[in-house]
Amino acid sequence: MTTVPHETSTAARGVPHLTVEDLFASPARVGASISPDGTRIAYLAPWRDRLNVWVEDLGTGEPARCVTADDHRSVHVYHWTDDPRWLLYEQDGDGDENWHLHRVDLENPEAGAVDLTPFPGAAAIGFETMVSRPGKALLRLNHRDPVEFDLHEIDIATGELTLLARNPGQVDGLMYTPRGDLYAQVWKSGGDIELVRLDPETGERSPVAAFDGADHPLGVHPFQLTPDGTGVWVGSYRDGDHKRLARLDLATGAQSEVDGHPDLDLDPRSSVFPTLPSPLILDRHTGELLGVRYLGERQVIHALDPHFAEVLEHLEKLSEGDLSAVSCDESGQRWVVSFTHDRDPGVTHLYDHSTGESRLLFRAYPHLDPAALAPRTPVTITSRDGLALPSYLTLPLGVEPAGLPLVLLVHGGPWHRDSWMYDPTAQLLANRGYAVLQVNFRGSTGYGKTFLKAGIGELAGKMHDDLIDAVDWAVGKGYADRDRIAVFGGSYGGYAALVGVTFTPDVFVAAIDFCGISNLVTFLRSVPEFVKPQLHNNWYLYAGNPDDPAQEADLWARSPLSRVDRIRTPLMVVQGGNDIRVVKAESDRIVEALRARGVEVEYMVKENEGHGFVNQENNIDMYHLADRFLARHLNGGS
């Protein structure tokens, strides 16, 4: 195909020019939820350039007030409690993932936040309230031993911690029922995940049920105790290819189906990013199951509660987007809901079911005109061996979609998936005149067990072939110019970008690696110790175990660093100094090897970040650099 010089300036295309700050500064407001008594909402909004928790009365008209005061790092997770006085939030230290639980006194605005888990170097995970224990919450702490998380109950008002169960070793996900029974998950060396009942006195383990670990690379998800404590709601592939919702009886281990979809999996996204919607929509006051989310090209919700079914019918009329966060008051009448949308994200409404009235509370990004943003279109690409690859194509506005420079944007995980949503990276690239292609390659989650397990043993193999096949598809359809293709990814996507320039160096003219793996052997040996028992079902199964010499050799052969001498593509590398998942040494190695050969490489390190950037100024710096880098190498405009 003959290409012509590509004019990407937004002015020439009649499209508003979006700055990096427009797209990557903090939202004006986001993450709203209603208080249990229905009189207030909480949400996240900037304070001193960091997201903090704000509380606003719904009836008085008084100005909202900021109730947290973290000017060092943005807050992203908070919790209402059953006592209207207390609000809790979670925070780590510069991306180290050592999460602490903090308490805010809403009746005493002058009082500072109290760290309820003040243990240096320790993490508090798995926060969960229990309907049967008002004023209390469960959490797991590793302050006794970094490798083992013990189960504690915390009194929210006093901060008193009570040890419920000491981790006996080699177990995960300690679970405590309202009747006082103790359960745990055991990740077996062969890969199976076993649910056992624990005797807290003797440590004796009684098997309850077992799951094939190959079906659950990130663990059984969802895995939610029922309110009465007699069962667990679990994601199950039993008797089918798609993940359905089942109830596992804790007395017998028997599974019974609760709900399913003939063509879709339960929404898997929160297994990687807990801030994304859970597949289970629960009544936070009773713990009962209201609805179930499934995810295909768009979201599908099955209402399992008659009252919620009535409410849902009204909620889904409020937006053309997909229902995202959902919260209601104790009466089940007042609801605060937000929506996922490819061009108008985070629109949030208040709905009163008793009156049928609703009102818009806010738009997360009021400065962005949805008409100036590019639609995200689902497409299906067929791989060279006949596998259907669900993908998303974002094309720039104001230009004929032919012979465009293209950026292949690769998701992380690899046990994650791209979905229909607002993606600021894709919007920046499209605004600059690039086509953007995002591929759910084999091994991505949410497309059935067969598709998931097709990724086993295929790192730098068929998983990468899928990406190259997608590039060929875009060129064959006429969207993309074969000579102007770039690859950009984070985490596993960063590894995929490095594989792209080492295994297929003729395909890409530029690459951006954000926190990517350069050496699979050193990566797997440097993960935190408490993670290693879980590697059997994911990295060891899909890639290999470096403790086995033959597998170690194969891991090295699939590592970009083993082929670093083949890199001639300009490369940009971005890394968080506190990343505990893909440590800085992974990026250092690839950069040092390229600089020794004189290959062009730009390297950005932010010492106060972890696996992915949180602080807005760091994201803005990174995307300014990426904007300039791609403009040079794709003949774009910035």
Side-chain angles (χ1 to χ4, degrees), residues 145-158:
D145 184 331
V147 179
E148 298 176 353
F149 284 84
D150 300 329
L151 183 65
H152 292 76
E153 182 179 70
I154 188 166
D155 185 299
I156 294 170
T158 67

Side-chain angles (χ1 to χ4, degrees), residues 88-274:
L88 307 177
Y89 72 94
E90 299 178 28
Q91 186 61 286
D92 75 341
D94 287 338
D96 63 5
E97 301 190 38
N98 286 326
W99 298 100
H100 286 218
L101 185 67
H102 301 263
R103 186 190 65 204
V104 174
D105 186 347
L106 298 182
E107 294 182 1
N108 185 1
E110 304 304 317
V114 176
D115 186 349
L116 298 177
T117 54
F119 307 108
I125 63 172
F127 173 87
E128 186 176 8
T129 57
M130 296 181 68
V131 175
S132 60
R133 299 278 289 167
K136 313 284 187 180
L138 300 178
L139 52 81
R140 304 180 194 103
L141 277 167
N142 65 341
H143 64 303
R144 175 185 59 82
D145 184 331
V147 179
E148 298 176 353
F149 284 84
D150 300 329
L151 183 65
H152 292 76
E153 182 179 70
I154 188 166
D155 185 299
I156 294 170
T158 67
E160 180 182 2
L161 276 170
T162 301
L163 177 66
L164 297 179
R166 176 171 168 153
N167 191 314
Q170 301 301 311
V171 305
D172 185 53
L174 286 167
M175 185 175 69
Y176 191 71
T177 73
R179 297 184 301 182
D181 296 326
L182 186 65
Y183 295 84
Q185 294 180 42
V186 181
W187 295 64
K188 310 290 283 187
S189 58
D192 283 350
I193 303 170
E194 188 175 49
L195 177 66
V196 300
R197 181 172 178 174
L198 287 177
D199 185 315
E201 301 298 328
T202 65
E204 181 181 353
R205 305 177 183 186
S206 304
V208 175
F211 303 87
D212 184 346
D215 294 348
H216 305 278
L218 299 181
V220 181
H221 177 78
F223 192 89
Q224 175 67 47
L225 186 69
T226 60
D228 63 6
T230 64
V232 181
W233 290 309
V234 298
S236 175
Y237 290 110
R238 179 166 292 186
D239 301 324
D241 191 56
H242 290 291
K243 184 181 284 190
R244 307 165 76 82
L245 184 65
R247 181 187 182 277
L248 187 150
D249 189 287
L250 288 174
T252 66
Q255 285 190 31
S256 56
E257 184 172 318
V258 175
D259 192 60
H261 190 287
D263 304 311
L264 304 178
D265 279 17
L266 294 172
D267 187 342
R269 294 172 295 172
S270 62
S271 63
V272 177
F273 296 105

Side-chain angles (χ1 to χ4, degrees), residues 514-543:
F514 184 16
C515 302
I517 305 158
S518 65
N519 183 338
L520 290 166
V521 176
T522 55
F523 160 66
L524 290 171
R525 285 180 173 155
S526 63
V527 298
E529 286 299 319
F530 67 84
V531 173
K532 289 185 177 179
Q534 303 173 14
L535 294 178
H536 290 280
N537 301 329
N538 42 66
W539 285 102
Y540 289 172
L541 175 63
Y542 279 74

Side-chain angles (χ1 to χ4, degrees), residues 28-105:
R29 285 192 281 180
V30 74
S33 63
I34 195 166
S35 63
D37 61 9
T39 63
R40 295 171 290 178
I41 60 169
Y43 56 84
L44 302 173
W47 178 79
R48 295 187 180 177
D49 293 327
R50 297 289 182 262
L51 290 178
N52 275 270
V53 185
W54 296 66
V55 172
E56 178 180 340
D57 289 329
L58 287 172
T60 65
E62 294 181 2
R65 60 188 179 94
C66 186
V67 300
T68 62
D70 196 326
D71 59 3
H72 182 69
R73 191 169 180 83
S74 287
V75 176
H76 284 101
V77 178
Y78 70 88
H79 311 274
W80 287 107
T81 70
D82 51 25
D83 186 331
R85 178 175 180 177
W86 309 116
L87 184 141
L88 307 177
Y89 72 94
E90 299 178 28
Q91 186 61 286
D92 75 341
D94 287 338
D96 63 5
E97 301 190 38
N98 286 326
W99 298 100
H100 286 218
L101 185 67
H102 301 263
R103 186 190 65 204
V104 174
D105 186 347

Side-chain angles (χ1 to χ4, degrees), residues 6 8-9 17 431-434 627 630-632 634-638:
H6 180 65
T8 61
S9 72
H17 179 83
N431 188 256
R432 300 303 186 258
Y434 312 137
D627 194 6
L630 291 173
R632 286 199 306 275
L634 291 183
N635 189 30
S638 62

